[in-house]
Amino acid sequence: MARGRAQTKLPPPFLKRVWLPDDIGEREGIDWDSYPYNLALIRAAGLDITFSNPVTILVGENGCGKSTLIEAIARRCGFSDKGGAQGMAAVRQSVASDRDGGDLGDLLRAAWLPQIHQGWFFRAETFFSVARYLDEAAIEASAGRGPQFLAASHGQGFLAFFEERLNWQGIYFFDEPESALSPARQFDFLKILRHIQREGKAQIIMATHSPILMALPDAELLHVTRFGLRPIALEDTDHYRIYREFILYPRETIEVMTE
Protein backbone atom coordinates (compact mmCIF):
# COMPACT_ATOMS: atom_id res chain seq x y z
CA MET A 1 0.00 0.00 0.00
CA ALA A 2 1.59 3.23 -1.10
CA ARG A 3 1.78 6.24 1.19
CA GLY A 4 1.61 8.66 -1.69
CA ARG A 5 -1.88 7.89 -2.89
CA ALA A 6 -4.50 10.60 -2.92
CA GLN A 7 -6.37 11.20 0.32
CA THR A 8 -9.99 12.20 0.73
CA LYS A 9 -11.41 14.64 3.25
CA LEU A 10 -14.76 12.83 3.28
CA PRO A 11 -15.38 10.79 6.43
CA PRO A 12 -15.87 7.02 6.51
CA PRO A 13 -17.68 4.80 5.77
CA PHE A 14 -16.37 4.98 2.22
CA LEU A 15 -17.97 1.72 1.13
CA LYS A 16 -21.67 2.50 1.42
CA ARG A 17 -23.32 -0.67 0.19
CA VAL A 18 -22.67 -4.13 -1.28
CA TRP A 19 -25.35 -6.31 -2.85
CA LEU A 20 -26.10 -9.15 -5.20
CA PRO A 21 -27.96 -7.93 -8.30
CA ASP A 22 -31.58 -8.99 -8.76
CA ASP A 23 -30.81 -11.02 -11.87
CA ILE A 24 -28.20 -13.17 -10.14
CA GLY A 25 -30.54 -16.19 -10.19
CA GLU A 26 -30.47 -16.14 -13.99
CA ARG A 27 -26.69 -16.32 -14.29
CA GLU A 28 -25.27 -19.37 -16.02
CA GLY A 29 -22.48 -21.41 -14.51
CA ILE A 30 -23.48 -20.89 -10.87
CA ASP A 31 -24.08 -24.07 -8.90
CA TRP A 32 -26.62 -22.99 -6.30
CA ASP A 33 -26.20 -26.31 -4.50
CA SER A 34 -22.50 -25.72 -3.83
CA TYR A 35 -20.69 -23.50 -1.35
CA PRO A 36 -20.84 -20.51 -0.96
CA TYR A 37 -24.02 -20.08 -3.00
CA ASN A 38 -25.88 -22.65 -0.91
CA LEU A 39 -25.42 -20.68 2.31
CA ALA A 40 -28.83 -20.21 3.91
CA LEU A 41 -28.15 -16.48 4.06
CA ILE A 42 -27.78 -16.28 0.27
CA ARG A 43 -30.57 -18.68 -0.65
CA ALA A 44 -33.16 -17.24 1.74
CA ALA A 45 -32.41 -13.53 1.74
CA GLY A 46 -30.03 -12.73 -1.07
CA LEU A 47 -27.41 -10.23 -0.01
CA ASP A 48 -27.74 -6.48 0.50
CA ILE A 49 -25.70 -4.69 3.17
CA THR A 50 -25.69 -0.95 3.85
CA PHE A 51 -22.79 0.43 5.88
CA SER A 52 -23.76 3.41 8.00
CA ASN A 53 -20.91 3.42 10.56
CA PRO A 54 -17.12 3.63 10.18
CA VAL A 55 -16.90 0.30 12.06
CA THR A 56 -19.18 -2.64 11.23
CA ILE A 57 -18.91 -5.90 13.19
CA LEU A 58 -20.44 -9.13 11.90
CA VAL A 59 -21.46 -11.66 14.55
CA GLY A 60 -23.02 -15.10 14.38
CA GLU A 61 -22.37 -18.80 14.84
CA ASN A 62 -19.82 -20.81 12.88
CA GLY A 63 -21.22 -21.76 9.50
CA CYS A 64 -23.53 -18.76 9.18
CA GLY A 65 -21.27 -17.12 6.58
CA LYS A 66 -19.44 -14.33 8.49
CA SER A 67 -15.98 -15.15 7.20
CA THR A 68 -17.30 -15.85 3.74
CA LEU A 69 -18.92 -12.41 3.65
CA ILE A 70 -15.72 -10.74 4.84
CA GLU A 71 -13.73 -12.52 2.14
CA ALA A 72 -16.30 -11.78 -0.56
CA ILE A 73 -16.53 -8.07 0.27
CA ALA A 74 -12.74 -7.77 0.50
CA ARG A 75 -12.43 -9.44 -2.91
CA ARG A 76 -14.98 -7.03 -4.36
CA CYS A 77 -12.88 -4.15 -2.99
CA GLY A 78 -9.78 -5.39 -4.77
CA PHE A 79 -8.00 -7.44 -2.10
CA SER A 80 -6.53 -10.91 -2.51
CA ASP A 81 -8.40 -13.85 -0.98
CA LYS A 82 -5.16 -14.66 0.81
CA GLY A 83 -5.00 -11.38 2.73
CA GLY A 84 -2.74 -8.36 2.62
CA ALA A 85 -2.92 -5.10 0.72
CA GLN A 86 -4.43 -4.56 -2.71
CA GLY A 87 -2.23 -6.11 -5.36
CA MET A 88 -0.07 -7.95 -2.83
CA ALA A 89 1.00 -11.49 -3.70
CA ALA A 90 2.69 -12.38 -0.43
CA VAL A 91 0.94 -15.66 0.32
CA ARG A 92 0.92 -18.89 -1.67
CA GLN A 93 -2.49 -20.33 -2.42
CA SER A 94 -1.57 -23.47 -0.46
CA VAL A 95 -1.10 -21.37 2.67
CA ALA A 96 -4.53 -19.74 2.57
CA SER A 97 -7.64 -21.73 3.33
CA ASP A 98 -10.06 -22.23 0.45
CA ARG A 99 -13.38 -20.68 1.43
CA ASP A 100 -14.56 -19.67 -2.06
CA GLY A 101 -15.79 -16.37 -0.69
CA GLY A 102 -13.83 -14.70 -3.45
CA ASP A 103 -16.07 -16.32 -6.08
CA LEU A 104 -19.07 -14.75 -4.37
CA GLY A 105 -17.23 -11.43 -4.27
CA ASP A 106 -16.90 -11.45 -8.04
CA LEU A 107 -20.71 -11.31 -8.27
CA LEU A 108 -21.20 -8.47 -5.79
CA ARG A 109 -21.90 -4.87 -6.71
CA ALA A 110 -20.58 -1.99 -4.61
CA ALA A 111 -21.40 1.68 -4.03
CA TRP A 112 -18.69 4.03 -2.74
CA LEU A 113 -18.32 7.67 -1.70
CA PRO A 114 -15.49 7.98 -2.52
CA GLN A 115 -13.88 4.77 -3.72
CA ILE A 116 -10.79 4.00 -1.66
CA HIS A 117 -7.81 2.08 -3.02
CA GLN A 118 -5.86 1.74 0.22
CA GLY A 119 -6.35 -0.70 3.06
CA TRP A 120 -5.71 -4.22 4.26
CA PHE A 121 -7.41 -7.61 4.51
CA PHE A 122 -6.32 -9.38 7.70
CA ARG A 123 -6.65 -13.16 7.91
CA ALA A 124 -5.23 -14.76 11.03
CA GLU A 125 -4.10 -17.93 9.27
CA THR A 126 -1.98 -16.02 6.74
CA PHE A 127 -0.64 -13.28 9.02
CA PHE A 128 2.80 -14.80 9.49
CA SER A 129 3.32 -15.35 5.77
CA VAL A 130 2.33 -11.74 5.06
CA ALA A 131 4.39 -10.39 7.98
CA ARG A 132 7.45 -12.34 6.83
CA TYR A 133 7.02 -10.89 3.34
CA LEU A 134 6.84 -7.36 4.77
CA ASP A 135 9.79 -7.89 7.11
CA GLU A 136 12.00 -9.24 4.35
CA ALA A 137 11.01 -6.51 1.88
CA ALA A 138 11.62 -3.74 4.44
CA ILE A 139 14.97 -5.18 5.52
CA GLU A 140 16.11 -5.47 1.91
CA ALA A 141 15.03 -1.90 1.15
CA SER A 142 16.57 -0.36 4.29
CA ALA A 143 19.88 -2.19 4.61
CA GLY A 144 18.92 -4.36 7.56
CA ARG A 145 16.36 -2.13 9.24
CA GLY A 146 12.66 -2.90 9.07
CA PRO A 147 9.50 -3.32 11.13
CA GLN A 148 10.34 -6.94 12.15
CA PHE A 149 6.77 -7.87 13.04
CA LEU A 150 7.87 -11.46 13.66
CA ALA A 151 10.57 -10.48 16.16
CA ALA A 152 7.97 -9.88 18.90
CA SER A 153 5.76 -12.39 20.65
CA HIS A 154 2.65 -13.66 18.89
CA GLY A 155 0.21 -11.04 20.25
CA GLN A 156 2.78 -8.24 20.23
CA GLY A 157 3.56 -8.92 16.58
CA PHE A 158 -0.10 -8.62 15.64
CA LEU A 159 -0.55 -5.41 17.61
CA ALA A 160 2.61 -3.84 16.18
CA PHE A 161 1.34 -4.69 12.72
CA PHE A 162 -2.14 -3.27 13.42
CA GLU A 163 -0.79 -0.07 14.93
CA GLU A 164 1.60 0.55 12.05
CA ARG A 165 -0.92 -0.15 9.28
CA LEU A 166 -4.06 1.35 10.74
CA ASN A 167 -2.63 4.85 10.92
CA TRP A 168 -3.23 5.12 7.16
CA GLN A 169 -6.45 6.13 5.51
CA GLY A 170 -8.24 3.20 3.94
CA ILE A 171 -10.68 0.33 4.33
CA TYR A 172 -9.68 -2.58 6.55
CA PHE A 173 -11.10 -6.09 6.87
CA PHE A 174 -10.53 -8.32 9.90
CA ASP A 175 -11.57 -11.95 10.07
CA GLU A 176 -11.61 -13.06 13.73
CA PRO A 177 -8.54 -11.09 14.90
CA GLU A 178 -9.11 -12.37 18.45
CA SER A 179 -7.63 -15.71 17.38
CA ALA A 180 -4.22 -14.04 17.64
CA LEU A 181 -4.87 -12.05 20.82
CA SER A 182 -5.24 -12.85 24.50
CA PRO A 183 -8.12 -11.10 26.32
CA ALA A 184 -5.69 -8.44 27.60
CA ARG A 185 -4.31 -7.92 24.08
CA GLN A 186 -7.85 -7.59 22.77
CA PHE A 187 -8.24 -4.50 24.95
CA ASP A 188 -5.01 -3.15 23.45
CA PHE A 189 -6.53 -3.75 20.03
CA LEU A 190 -9.65 -1.88 21.13
CA LYS A 191 -7.44 1.11 22.00
CA ILE A 192 -6.15 1.09 18.44
CA LEU A 193 -9.68 0.85 17.05
CA ARG A 194 -10.87 3.73 19.25
CA HIS A 195 -7.98 5.85 18.00
CA ILE A 196 -9.01 5.04 14.43
CA GLN A 197 -12.59 6.08 15.18
CA ARG A 198 -11.44 9.41 16.61
CA GLU A 199 -9.13 10.09 13.66
CA GLY A 200 -12.00 9.52 11.21
CA LYS A 201 -9.79 8.24 8.40
CA ALA A 202 -10.59 4.55 8.13
CA GLN A 203 -13.47 2.13 7.63
CA ILE A 204 -13.36 -1.25 9.34
CA ILE A 205 -15.43 -4.35 8.59
CA MET A 206 -14.77 -7.16 11.05
CA ALA A 207 -16.08 -10.63 11.87
CA THR A 208 -15.58 -11.80 15.44
CA HIS A 209 -16.71 -14.19 18.17
CA SER A 210 -15.24 -12.00 20.91
CA PRO A 211 -17.68 -10.08 23.16
CA ILE A 212 -14.74 -7.83 24.08
CA LEU A 213 -14.35 -6.66 20.48
CA MET A 214 -18.13 -6.55 19.98
CA ALA A 215 -18.29 -4.01 22.81
CA LEU A 216 -16.42 -1.36 20.78
CA PRO A 217 -18.44 1.86 21.32
CA ASP A 218 -20.11 3.42 18.27
CA ALA A 219 -19.68 0.26 16.16
CA GLU A 220 -22.64 -1.25 14.36
CA LEU A 221 -23.23 -4.91 15.22
CA LEU A 222 -24.89 -6.97 12.49
CA HIS A 223 -26.14 -10.44 13.32
CA VAL A 224 -25.65 -12.83 10.41
CA THR A 225 -28.52 -15.33 10.25
CA ARG A 226 -30.07 -17.57 7.63
CA PHE A 227 -32.76 -14.93 7.17
CA GLY A 228 -30.38 -12.06 6.49
CA LEU A 229 -28.47 -9.48 8.50
CA ARG A 230 -30.08 -7.47 11.26
CA PRO A 231 -28.75 -4.97 13.82
CA ILE A 232 -28.25 -6.42 17.27
CA ALA A 233 -27.20 -5.08 20.67
CA LEU A 234 -24.18 -6.58 22.41
CA GLU A 235 -26.32 -7.81 25.30
CA ASP A 236 -28.58 -9.70 22.90
CA THR A 237 -25.82 -11.73 21.25
CA ASP A 238 -25.43 -15.40 22.15
CA HIS A 239 -21.74 -14.77 22.75
CA TYR A 240 -22.40 -12.16 25.44
CA ARG A 241 -25.10 -14.26 27.13
CA ILE A 242 -22.94 -17.38 27.31
CA TYR A 243 -19.92 -15.50 28.65
CA ARG A 244 -22.10 -13.67 31.17
CA GLU A 245 -23.61 -16.90 32.49
CA PHE A 246 -20.18 -18.50 32.68
CA ILE A 247 -18.65 -15.57 34.59
CA LEU A 248 -21.54 -15.45 37.06
CA TYR A 249 -22.02 -19.21 37.46
CA PRO A 250 -18.97 -21.01 36.02
CA ARG A 251 -19.51 -24.47 37.47
CA GLU A 252 -23.25 -24.47 36.98
CA THR A 253 -22.85 -23.30 33.37
CA ILE A 254 -20.36 -26.06 32.62
CA GLU A 255 -22.70 -28.65 34.12
CA VAL A 256 -25.60 -27.44 32.00
CA MET A 257 -23.58 -27.08 28.79
CA THR A 258 -21.90 -30.47 29.07
CA GLU A 259 -24.91 -32.62 29.96
Side-chain angles (χ1 to χ4, degrees), residues 1-255:
M1 182 171 62
R3 291 178 183 269
R5 292 190 177 182
Q7 305 285 293
T8 178
K9 294 183 179 180
L10 293 175
F14 311 116
L15 179 64
K16 301 296 186 181
R17 179 185 171 217
V18 293
W19 72 96
L20 282 172
D22 292 337
D23 64 350
I24 194 67
E26 303 171 7
R27 300 288 182 90
E28 296 183 0
I30 298 177
D31 182 0
W32 294 100
D33 293 322
S34 68
Y35 185 85
Y37 311 109
N38 63 352
L39 281 171
L41 167 67
I42 305 299
R43 295 180 66 90
L47 184 61
D48 196 331
I49 309 174
T50 298
F51 299 100
S52 56
N53 287 45
V55 180
T56 302
I57 300 176
L58 305 181
V59 304
E61 286 300 317
N62 285 333
C64 70
K66 301 186 311 299
S67 293
T68 300
L69 285 181
I70 290 286
E71 185 175 331
I73 298 170
R75 171 76 163 262
R76 182 62 185 85
C77 294
F79 296 88
S80 168
D81 300 359
K82 310 174 195 65
Q86 288 182 335
M88 176 178 285
V91 184
R92 301 187 311 274
Q93 183 62 47
S94 60
V95 175
S97 64
D98 185 11
R99 291 196 184 118
D100 295 323
D103 293 340
L104 178 62
D106 290 339
L107 301 177
L108 291 176
R109 299 292 181 265
W112 298 80
L113 186 64
Q115 186 166 1
I116 294 293
H117 296 285
Q118 302 93 254
W120 196 269
F121 176 23
F122 172 82
R123 294 180 62 170
E125 67 266 36
T126 62
F127 169 77
F128 284 101
S129 295
V130 174
R132 185 175 294 108
Y133 172 90
L134 293 174
D135 281 351
E136 291 173 352
I139 290 171
E140 181 179 346
S142 58
R145 296 182 303 275
Q148 299 186 32
F149 296 118
L150 299 183
S153 69
H154 193 188
Q156 288 174 328
F158 276 92
L159 288 173
F161 175 82
F162 294 153
E163 198 159 17
E164 194 265 345
R165 291 278 149 178
L166 295 180
N167 279 323
W168 305 351
Q169 185 179 77
I171 182 168
Y172 297 89
F173 298 90
F174 293 95
D175 185 15
E176 300 181 11
E178 70 274 10
S179 61
L181 302 169
S182 69
R185 295 296 184 189
Q186 290 180 43
F187 282 102
D188 291 335
F189 184 43
L190 282 178
K191 292 179 185 177
I192 297 173
L193 295 180
R194 287 297 278 165
H195 173 74
I196 291 169
Q197 288 175 316
R198 295 184 182 109
E199 288 289 307
K201 296 190 300 184
Q203 179 176 3
I204 294 171
I205 302 173
M206 175 169 61
T208 184
H209 288 292
S210 169
I212 294 174
L213 300 185
M214 292 178 197
L216 178 69
D218 304 317
E220 181 176 24
L221 288 183
L222 293 179
H223 187 199
V224 182
T225 75
R226 63 177 301 159
F227 303 109
L229 282 78
R230 63 179 180 85
I232 191 171
L234 170 66
E235 294 78 7
D236 293 331
T237 64
D238 292 336
H239 308 74
Y240 177 89
R241 290 174 174 175
I242 290 173
Y243 273 78
R244 181 180 183 276
E245 291 301 310
F246 175 75
I247 295 298
L248 292 176
Y249 313 106
R251 294 173 182 80
E252 293 85 349
T253 302
I254 290 175
E255 288 296 329

